[in-house]
């Protein structure tokens, strides 16, 4: 039986047609595409950053700093809880070690009251657990330990918040189609297509941009090493300026900013800021009380400027001058508008490819693919004649199907992905080689052409499945465990295996059946 | 008459020379291990951490001059090499002490130095930096991926065939992986994430080749119930030889094209794959099949272990 059922032929032809149709958009430019009717396929293969040029940044949220902040705020709430009401409780040694806050009561008799006062710190989480473990000891020591879940939740929300702020910043810069995604517990992957030099972006997105306003402590010499309690010496923001001794207490925080714009004042680029109502009130009070004294504007632990307060500023607007360049003023305004990061970021990995290298890579890949394809096509015809031609039709269709699947699935084509496709070109004919070799053997054993073809396809089938499943296992593992380029390679390899099994088994069989039924050959020239 | 690289009927005594082949393989594997533990791999920044810049200059610069000017920046070891064209230079800077700021500062230093020396006409084709945490994780996941892939394939072969075959397949696989790593060590081709992808694909290809021979061996065990195992293995290898060679040739044609025309970035990857396909073909003929004899595959064993269905059975039950 050599016949190939009609419904099967119809299905094979339909799948092949779909493969061609869904590949076409990749050869049509964007403009002509807009003229196409709605139902026409428009999905194009997404090119990876290595092919279109762009930057890939893997950032890590510094979880240590998140934990530190958690401890600080925990200490704050412990302090205010114990001091609340009329029955203030005496304690000493309030400190945090490794996230655990501890203190010792001055009077052990206060233990029960202290417990009651502190109870509000520990809430019941939706999962039914306590957010903090509060323990009291016989010697008057009390420890407050946040649960692992509480810490994890906090880190997770800091990462979410960071992603949101990064999105704001990236949008403000006006970059096209960046993707910002969480990766793992505390990492953020940023991919920005079409950007050759990522340095400015790193500068902008990596900055914490925490702005605070402090009073300057004039009694301290900033060049002398140690500052008294309540005061710290901060380095200048611009190199060459003097360090400044500022009081620890934050008078107004950058969180209370409503807007920031780069403007000019006496020909110098400056940043104009406007506070929200709370910030405006705080700012007005501070400036009223401290006329004539210098006031430090601190960005990420460095003093941008420390101007003298000449008169109370009641309008809620102010100007930061600090010898900025136009670019610096614009960047600072942008950062302040977009908001401060809740925790600092570290760049773990950075990969940028210039757009011309990407274009070169695509061109080289195309040339290599075409030459490889031509070489394989010629070799197959020389080796198997007419049957080789059939294998070549299957191979060509295989490439169309890979491209259409990549387009439809929205998979990203990377340089290793191109390598995967080219490798597939070589390996895709394997199934047909297996089949043709079987047909040769069966012919030699004296079978009639029809029988030889039939049993050639039958007998080769399990071998093909076994061989492809094992390669498929490698592809799946590459996809699951791999990152970036490896994943890209695994995608094309995996899709290639599936497509080549379809084309080499079904399509080639259909073509050969059609040919055999039409010509009814007496002998097979395989 | 069509061209045949392999004559229609071969009757080469592969099993006869199996100990020579085992000897050659053993020597090559030991050599690979010595090279791996001695000089070691030329690890790219993916595995070593560090900074890499690929810079295109308007005209080919003097490497010696550039080496001394960049070497004077105090960034530690700086490696320069041309990358494809003579005006395309790959600059590798060792990982800087300190956090990510130290790395970006180093990149900036190199850029400033290059621009002061060669003008603003230079273009940065690639800038990459991988921190120590990430490179450590990359090594670990790469190692795990190879291990898991090999294990999964072993299990599949065990289920589909019987245990003798999985030993042979794994022997051939380990052989190919070790030799490929040795090739990286000997040639000094950069070992990076793409190289791991190459090795895993070689794993897939090698096993593909091996499985085809195994399928035939299994089939022949059923067909020739009385044949000497040694003759049966030889017969099976000879029967599949034509396919093994033709498929390797088509794959090599595609890979050589990738090696020659695919661009500098992909060249190391293509080289590894070419080597892997040659070694994989060799191992499926000279290692995977002959080893079955050594681990005692026999007619008897098959009946005892319960014979897994082969293609004929599969089709008969379907029909």
């Amino acid at each position: 039986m050599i016949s190939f059922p009609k419904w099967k032929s119809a299905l094979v032809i339909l799948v092949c047609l779909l493969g061609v149709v869904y590949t076409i958009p990749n050869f049509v430019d964007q403009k002509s595409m807009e003229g196409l009717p709605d139902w026409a396929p428009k999905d194009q293969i997404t090119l990876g950053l290595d092919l279109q040029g762009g930057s890939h940044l893997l950032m890590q949220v510094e979880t240590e700093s998140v934990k530190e902040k958690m401890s600080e705020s925990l200490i704050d709430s412990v302090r205010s809880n114990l001091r609340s009401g009329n029955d203030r409780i005496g304690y000493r040694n309030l400190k945090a070690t490794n996230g655990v806050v501890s203190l010792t009561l001055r009077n052990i008799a206060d233990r029960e009251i202290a417990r009651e006062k502190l109870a509000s710190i520990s809430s019941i989480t939706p999962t039914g657990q306590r957010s903090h473990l509060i323990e009291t000891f016989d010697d008057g020591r009390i420890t407050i330990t946040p649960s692992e879940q509480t810490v994890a939740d906090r880190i997770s929300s800091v990462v979410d918040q960071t992603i949101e702020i990064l999105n704001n910043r990236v949008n403000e810069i006006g970059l096209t189609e960046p993707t910002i995604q969480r990766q793992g517990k505390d990492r953020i992957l940023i991919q920005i297509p079409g950007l050759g030099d990522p340095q400015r972006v790193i500068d902008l997105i990596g900055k914490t941009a925490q702005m605070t306003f402090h009073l300057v402590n004039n009694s301290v010499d900033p060049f002398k090493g140690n500052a008294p309690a309540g005061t710290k010496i901060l380095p200048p923001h611009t190199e060459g300026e003097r360090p400044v001794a500022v009081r620890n207490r934050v008078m107004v925080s950058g969180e209370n900013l409503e807007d920031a714009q780069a403007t000019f004042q006496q020909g110098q680029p400056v940043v104009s800021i406007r506070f929200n109502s709370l910030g405006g009130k705080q700012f007005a009070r501070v400036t009223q009380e401290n006329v004539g004294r210098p006031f430090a504007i601190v960005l990420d632990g460095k003093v941008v400027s420390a101007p003298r307060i000449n008169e109370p500023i009641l309008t809620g607007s102010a100007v930061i001058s600090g010898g900025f360049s136009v670019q610096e003023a614009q960047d600072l305004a942008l950062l302040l508008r977009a908001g401060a990061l809740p925790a600092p970021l570290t760049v773990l990995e950075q990969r940028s490819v210039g757009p011309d290298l990407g274009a070169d890579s695509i061109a080289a890949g195309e040339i290599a693919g075409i030459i490889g394809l031509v070489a394989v096509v010629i070799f197959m015809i020389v080796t198997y004649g007419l049957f080789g031609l059939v294998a070549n039709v299957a191979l060509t269709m295989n490439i169309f199907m890979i491209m259409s699947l990549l387009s439809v699935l929205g998979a990203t084509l990377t340089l290793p992905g191109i390598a995967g496709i080219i490798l597939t070109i070589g390996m895709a004919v394997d199934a047909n080689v297996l089949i043709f070799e079987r047909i040769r053997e069966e012919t030699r054993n004296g079978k009639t052409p029809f029988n030889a073809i039939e049993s050639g396809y039958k007998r080769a089938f399990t071998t093909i499945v076994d061989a492809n499943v094992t390669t498929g296992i490698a592809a799946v593992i590459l996809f699951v465990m791999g990152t970036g380029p490896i994943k890209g390679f695994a995608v094309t390899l995996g899709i290639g295996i599936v497509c080549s099994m379809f084309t080499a088994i079904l399509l080639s069989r259909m073509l050969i059946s059609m040919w055999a039924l039409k010509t009814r050959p007496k002998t097979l020239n395989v | 008459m069509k061209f045949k690289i392999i004559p229609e009927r071969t009757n080469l005594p592969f099993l006869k020379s199996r100990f020579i082949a085992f000897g050659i393989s053993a020597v090559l594997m030991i050599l690979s291990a010595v090279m791996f533990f001695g000089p070691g791999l030329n690890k790219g920044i993916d595995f070593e951490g560090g900074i890499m810049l690929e810079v295109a200059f308007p005209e080919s610069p003097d490497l010696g001059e550039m080496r001394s000017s960049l070497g004077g920046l105090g960034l530690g070891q700086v490696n320069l090499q041309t990358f494809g064209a003579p005006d395309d230079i790959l600059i590798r800077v060792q990982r800087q002490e300190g956090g990510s700021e130290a790395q970006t500062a180093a990149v900036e230093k190199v850029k400033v130095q290059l621009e002061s020396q060669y003008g603003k006409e230079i273009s940065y084709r690639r800038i990459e930096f991988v921190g120590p945490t990430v490179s450590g994780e990359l090594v670990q996941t790469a190692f795990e991926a190879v291990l898991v892939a090999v294990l999964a394939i072993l299990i599949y072969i065990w289920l589909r065939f019987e245990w003798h075959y999985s030993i042979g397949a794994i022997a051939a696989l380990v052989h190919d992986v070790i030799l490929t790593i040795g090739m990286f060590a000997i040639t000094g081709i950069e070992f990076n994430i793409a190289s791991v992808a190459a090795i895993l694909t070689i794993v897939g290809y090698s096993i593909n080749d091996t499985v085809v021979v195994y399928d035939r061996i299994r089939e022949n065990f059923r067909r020739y119930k009385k044949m000497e195992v040694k003759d049966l293995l030889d017969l099976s290898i000879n029967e599949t030889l034509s396919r093994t060679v033709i498929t390797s040739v088509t794959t090599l044609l595609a890979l050589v094209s990738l090696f020659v025309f695919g661009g500098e970035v992909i060249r190391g990857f293509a080289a590894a794959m070419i080597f892997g396909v040659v070694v994989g073909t060799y191992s499926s003929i000279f290692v995977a099949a002959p080893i079955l004899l050594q681990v005692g595959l026999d007619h008897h064993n098959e009946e005892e272990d319960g014979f897994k269905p082969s293609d004929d059975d599969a089709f008969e039950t379907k029909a």
Side-chain angles (χ1 to χ4, degrees), chain A residues 215 251 285-295 308-309:
Chain A
L215 285 173
M251 305 307 289
R285 189 173 46 81
V286 174
T287 50
Q288 262 170 338
E289 288 168 5
N290 296 289
V291 171
R293 297 168 71 181
F295 194 51
R308 184 175 297 276
I309 302 170

Side-chain angles (χ1 to χ4, degrees), chain A residues 200-222:
Chain A
R200 173 150 184 261
V201 178
I202 294 180
D203 286 348
L204 283 177
I205 60 188
K207 280 236 171 70
T208 316
Q210 197 95 56
M211 179 167 269
T212 46
F213 297 82
H214 302 256
L215 285 173
V216 174
N217 188 348
N218 273 332
S219 61
V220 175
D221 177 359

Side-chain angles (χ1 to χ4, degrees), chain A residues 19-59:
Chain A
V20 174
V21 168
Y22 280 93
T23 305
I24 291 172
N26 291 297
F27 299 103
V28 181
D29 62 71
Q30 210 63 48
K31 240 188 195 159
S32 334
M33 203 101 89
E34 282 160 15
L36 289 175
D38 287 343
W39 49 264
K42 291 195 186 67
D43 295 323
Q44 284 182 325
I45 294 175
T46 319
L47 294 179
L49 294 183
D50 54 346
L51 293 178
Q52 61 170 309
S55 293
H56 155 119
L57 292 164
L58 184 63
M59 317 276 262

Side-chain angles (χ1 to χ4, degrees), chain A residues 187 348 350-352 354 360 368 385 426 430 437-438 440-441 458-459 462-463 466 478 489 525, chain B residues 2 4 46 125 127-129 131 137 156 160 200-201 215-216 219 223 242-243 247 250 257 311 315:
Chain A
R187 291 183 180 176
L348 292 181
Q350 176 205 324
R351 295 174 196 268
S352 330
D360 286 357
D430 181 55
E437 288 296 317
R438 279 287 188 169
R440 268 186 185 173
E441 263 179 73
K458 260 190 182 175
R459 286 171 159 266
T462 33
T463 312
D466 277 336
L478 280 175
F489 177 71
N525 184 17
Chain B
K2 276 178 290 289
K4 300 243 152 77
D46 291 340
R125 290 163 71 85
I127 299 174
E128 298 189 358
F129 116 67
E137 285 168 21
Y156 178 78
R160 284 289 293 155
L200 277 161
T201 319
D215 250 20
R216 186 58 72 107
E219 189 184 325
R223 191 183 291 171
S242 180
R243 172 269 160 194
T247 297
T250 57
S257 158
D311 35 53
F315 272 94

Side-chain angles (χ1 to χ4, degrees), chain B residues 24-256:
Chain B
I24 294 173
S25 291
V27 169
L28 289 176
M29 282 165 78
I30 291 168
L31 188 70
S32 296
V34 168
M35 286 304 290
F36 176 74
F37 289 109
L41 298 169
N42 169 19
K43 282 185 232 140
I45 61 166
D46 291 340
F47 291 134
E48 203 77 299
I51 301 164
M52 194 199 75
L53 295 98
E54 188 190 332
V55 190
F57 291 86
E59 53 197 59
S60 45
D62 183 340
L63 281 188
E65 201 180 289
M66 194 189 292
R67 195 166 283 126
S68 60
S69 82
L70 292 180
L73 291 177
L75 299 173
Q77 209 183 333
V78 178
N79 284 320
L80 300 181
Q81 76 184 78
T82 52
F83 198 64
D87 52 1
D88 201 2
I89 312 292
L90 197 66
I91 302 168
R92 267 175 65 179
V93 182
Q94 74 174 59
R95 188 160 62 77
Q96 303 296 302
E97 286 296 321
S100 59
E101 276 174 27
Q103 320 297 325
T104 43
V107 172
E108 208 48 42
K109 261 188 180 174
V110 171
K111 282 163 91 178
V112 168
Q113 179 67 25
L114 290 176
E115 274 161 34
S116 74
Q117 206 170 350
Y118 300 95
K120 299 251 174 203
E121 293 295 282
I122 54 184
S123 79
Y124 300 98
R125 290 163 71 85
R126 264 196 296 171
I127 299 174
E128 298 189 358
F129 116 67
V130 178
T133 343
V134 174
S135 65
E137 285 168 21
L138 287 175
V139 174
Q140 201 192 338
T141 45
F143 183 73
E144 283 171 6
V146 176
L147 207 68
V148 172
V150 169
L151 269 177
I153 287 167
L154 177 126
I155 291 168
Y156 178 78
I157 303 234
W158 195 351
L159 293 175
R160 284 289 293 155
F161 296 83
E162 53 177 292
W163 65 270
H164 299 96
Y165 292 90
S166 52
I167 289 182
I170 290 307
L173 250 177
V174 170
H175 171 268
D176 297 350
V177 170
I178 290 181
L179 255 53
T180 308
I181 290 175
M183 191 272 310
F184 274 104
I186 289 170
T187 56
I189 292 174
E190 188 182 291
F191 194 82
N192 50 29
I193 278 292
S195 314
V196 177
I199 288 182
L200 277 161
T201 319
I202 290 166
V203 167
Y205 184 87
S206 157
I207 205 74
N208 189 316
D209 241 18
T210 304
V211 163
V212 171
V213 180
Y214 280 3
D215 250 20
R216 186 58 72 107
I217 293 172
R218 180 169 62 177
E219 189 184 325
N220 283 339
F221 260 116
R222 293 164 41 82
R223 191 183 291 171
Y224 308 105
K225 302 240 186 247
K226 296 267 146 57
M227 195 186 275
E228 279 270 330
V229 177
K230 201 175 138 198
D231 296 336
L232 191 142
L233 294 179
D234 257 337
L235 174 74
S236 307
I237 299 174
N238 275 295
E239 279 178 350
T240 49
L241 189 63
S242 180
R243 172 269 160 194
T244 305
V245 174
I246 289 172
T247 297
S248 296
V249 169
T250 57
T251 308
L252 285 175
L253 284 175
L255 286 172
V256 167

Side-chain angles (χ1 to χ4, degrees), chain A residues 213-333:
Chain A
F213 297 82
H214 302 256
L215 285 173
V216 174
N217 188 348
N218 273 332
S219 61
V220 175
D221 177 359
F223 290 100
K224 272 212 181 117
N226 30 3
T231 296
K232 57 190 168 186
I233 296 168
L234 294 180
H237 189 263
T238 335
E239 263 179 63
E241 298 282 319
R242 315 161 34 100
V244 180
V246 303
R247 296 198 187 274
N248 280 353
R249 188 161 168 226
V250 174
M251 305 307 289
V252 188
S253 142
E255 281 163 31
N256 297 317
L257 282 179
E258 199 166 71
D259 192 21
Q261 293 292 336
T263 50
F264 283 89
Q265 198 175 55
Q266 295 154 3
Q268 286 294 315
V270 294
V271 178
S272 303
I273 51 174
R274 203 177 68 236
F275 289 101
N276 61 19
S277 61
L278 173 66
K281 269 181 215 150
Q282 288 176 347
F283 198 66
R285 189 173 46 81
V286 174
T287 50
Q288 262 170 338
E289 288 168 5
N290 296 289
V291 171
R293 297 168 71 181
F295 194 51
I297 302 164
V298 177
L299 180 69
D300 292 340
K302 289 176 179 171
V303 178
V304 176
S305 66
R308 184 175 297 276
I309 302 170
N310 293 324
E311 53 192 306
I313 300 169
L314 305 172
T315 55
S317 311
V319 160
I320 305 170
S321 60
F324 304 121
S325 68
V326 176
Q327 175 89 67
E328 281 168 348
Q330 279 169 351
D331 288 354
L332 179 57

